[in-house]
Amino acid sequence: MTMNTTHQLQSERTLERTSQAEAFITACYQEMEKTEAEREQRLAGVREEIRLTGTYVHTAEELTHGARMAWRHNSRCIGRLFWHSLEVIDAREAGTAEEVAEALLHHVKHAYNGGRIRPVITVFRSGEDPERAIRIWNHQLIRYAGYPGDSEHPRAGDPASDDFTALCLKLGWQGSGGDFDLLPLVISVGAEGPRWFPLPPGLVREVPLSHPEISRFPELGLRWYPVPIVSDMCLEIGGITYPAAPFNGWYMETEIGSRNFGDTDRYNRLPAVADLLGLDRSTNTTLWKDRALLELNRAVLHSFKQAGVSIVDHHTAAEQFVRFQQQEKRQGREASGKWGWLIPPMSPSSTPIWNDNKLRELPLSPRFVYRKTAVQTGPEDTGQMRGCPFHSPD
Ligand code: ARG
């Protein structure tokens, strides 16, 4: 590449970044009800910073509101009524893998909050400098290992974690080989190799599954962790990408009952539940899968409730989503939405979202974007991280 084109590319990048920054600051300051003078002053400051350094640094306030906007804009999330309550932890100062691990353990504890789950995001430094880029290799901070099995051992654990588990084992982590081994945190900084940190015993209070009427349900030996903390998406605010920004809400019961335990390529437990219920699995017409799904989902709601851990059922979540849409409309905004992700994976036609034929995805920013997981790209690929290329999982 000639000097000239490098230069040209750089100035194109600067121009693009300036316009993304301007759009964000304008929207953000308006929503935060700042005065016109405050906004103009900040816009001038940001333009100057980008001209001099090629980038700019968000204030704590901008980071907080920007992260909340990204949640509000996420077209796949049914729980967005509470977007404004997101707690934003500014961890941009964390520099080493140890410091990152410490901040992540704090996130787990703070979000769990003794069972009264708080929606939280921890934002680590931006991906501007690839040599210092922080990378969290986990898909979620808390998740179970998966073991594909071989001729002597049957498969065990969560198949969705097979690849990541193999990496952890290669790094020296050891699991029991069972169905519910909690995986360690895996972190790398820049081009350094990944390092693993175990979740301290007792930090995660798992919920054993029981059923309000079926007293033999615990025989299935099922349990789940209390907080889903997604850690493999990038947060993008005003032209700046944060490649490490794990966030959580609380669970909707179908995520666990229908998908994590029901999917044939996950724990695949519908046959075991049906057998416990004494259902006839020799024909589809007994609707044994539907009956197993229903009781599994009831067990999840019942068990979380009994353990004092926040959870929402899919009917309530769907009602809350409709309220979110109305709230957005009153603000003069349209709620972006992806129908196939918003309808719950049990009895979807019994929720108001089913008949909503106006839902559409809008290109909104700030936003969360998928990135290829570190397991897929390998550690050297810091350039990919910085760009955080869109990667669709479906
Ligand atoms: N569906 C994922 C799981 O079952 C969690 C995704 C985020 N869910 C949430 N309620 N915030 O682990």
Side-chain angles (χ1 to χ4, degrees):
M1 203 185 286
T2 66
M3 274 308 279
N4 222 347
T5 42
T6 314
H7 214 110
Q8 209 173 325
L9 271 178
Q10 256 169 11
S11 61
E12 270 170 31
R13 184 74 198 101
T14 304
L15 271 178
E16 191 193 350
R17 169 155 292 160
T18 306
S19 75
Q20 289 170 328
E22 285 172 344
F24 166 65
I25 297 295
T26 305
C28 176
Y29 278 48
Q30 179 152 6
E31 290 185 18
M32 293 194 307
E33 297 181 350
K34 298 275 187 188
T35 65
E36 205 182 313
E38 284 171 310
R39 189 185 68 219
E40 287 311 313
Q41 193 185 4
R42 180 59 177 145
L43 280 171
V46 166
R47 285 188 198 109
E48 182 67 358
E49 201 177 334
I50 297 176
R51 195 179 65 78
L52 292 172
T53 68
T55 184
Y56 72 109
V57 179
H58 289 129
T59 65
E61 223 182 355
E62 289 160 6
L63 191 70
T64 297
H65 196 72
R68 290 176 177 163
M69 290 170 85
W71 182 10
R72 187 181 79 205
H73 292 162
N74 192 303
S75 51
R76 301 171 178 214
C77 176
I78 194 174
R80 286 176 278 163
L81 180 62
F82 305 101
W83 69 273
H84 212 265
S85 72
L86 178 67
E87 193 174 323
V88 182
I89 300 179
D90 183 350
R92 287 178 292 177
E93 288 299 314
T96 64
E98 281 86 3
E99 285 165 356
V100 173
E102 197 181 322
L104 295 179
L105 294 180
H106 172 74
H107 184 136
V108 171
K109 208 173 161 166
H110 189 72
Y112 176 61
N113 188 32
R116 280 183 61 91
I117 294 175
R118 293 189 267 237
V120 178
I121 183 168
T122 301
V123 185
F124 293 95
R125 67 178 166 223
S126 79
E128 292 299 291
D129 177 0
E131 268 156 45
R132 305 196 312 146
I134 289 165
R135 183 168 208 172
I136 302 170
W137 294 51
N138 308 63
H139 158 64
Q140 289 180 30
L141 297 187
I142 309 173
R143 234 193 179 196
Y144 297 120
Y147 307 95
D150 53 32
S151 49
E152 279 129 67
H153 309 90
R155 79 143 297 120
D158 190 343
S161 300
D162 283 3
D163 291 348
F164 180 65
T165 305
L167 169 84
C168 294
L169 291 167
K170 215 172 81 188
L171 293 176
W173 173 80
Q174 288 180 345
S176 79
D179 278 330
F180 300 102
D181 288 349
L182 290 170
L183 287 161
L185 300 170
V186 178
I187 299 158
S188 63
V189 179
E192 282 171 20
R195 299 180 42 195
W196 62 275
F197 301 83
L199 296 176
L203 178 71
V204 177
R205 305 277 216 151
E206 297 169 76
V207 179
L209 293 199
S210 61
H211 189 281
E213 288 139 20
I214 304 162
S215 58
R216 286 183 51 208
F217 204 90
E219 288 173 23
L220 293 167
L222 304 180
R223 58 214 248 187
W224 205 254
Y225 53 85
V227 201
I229 314 174
V230 174
S231 51
D232 61 354
M233 293 183 88
C234 292
L235 168 62
E236 232 179 71
I237 303 176
I240 304 292
T241 297
Y242 296 95
F247 58 84
N248 75 278
W250 47 78
Y251 264 116
M252 179 164 84
E253 101 286 16
T254 52
E255 298 184 85
I256 303 169
S258 295
R259 304 299 310 283
N260 301 346
F261 284 131
D263 280 11
T264 49
D265 60 354
R266 297 291 299 287
Y267 279 85
N268 189 24
R269 289 299 205 268
L270 297 187
V273 174
D275 289 348
L276 184 87
L277 296 169
L279 304 179
D280 176 3
R281 290 204 279 120
S282 70
T283 165
N284 283 330
T285 58
T286 58
L287 300 188
W288 63 269
K289 287 184 188 172
D290 311 73
R291 294 182 65 187
L293 267 178
L294 174 61
E295 300 311 339
L296 199 41
N297 279 293
R298 287 183 70 203
V300 172
L301 281 171
H302 171 79
S303 311
F304 270 62
K305 183 129 214 237
Q306 209 169 42
V309 177
S310 310
I311 192 157
V312 66
D313 68 82
H314 55 290
H315 299 291
T316 305
E319 285 163 22
Q320 289 169 344
F321 179 73
V322 172
R323 280 173 54 204
F324 167 69
Q325 286 177 302
Q326 292 163 346
Q327 185 176 287
E328 286 301 284
K329 202 164 173 190
R330 279 198 300 276
Q331 294 296 322
R333 298 187 291 250
E334 176 181 342
S336 177
K338 201 172 162 80
W339 189 84
W341 272 70
L342 293 168
I343 52 162
M346 189 171 71
S347 314
S349 63
S350 68
T351 70
I353 304 172
W354 182 261
N355 284 312
D356 187 343
N357 50 25
K358 291 206 189 69
L359 278 172
R360 54 180 189 150
E361 272 198 288
L362 305 167
L364 301 175
S365 179
R367 59 180 189 153
F368 288 104
V369 286
Y370 281 99
R371 62 169 160 73
K372 289 200 168 79
T373 62
V375 182
Q376 288 166 325
T377 61
E380 309 78 23
D381 203 0
T382 44
Q384 287 261 354
M385 288 292 298
R386 192 162 45 132
C388 206
F390 183 79
H391 170 247
S392 177
D394 49 21

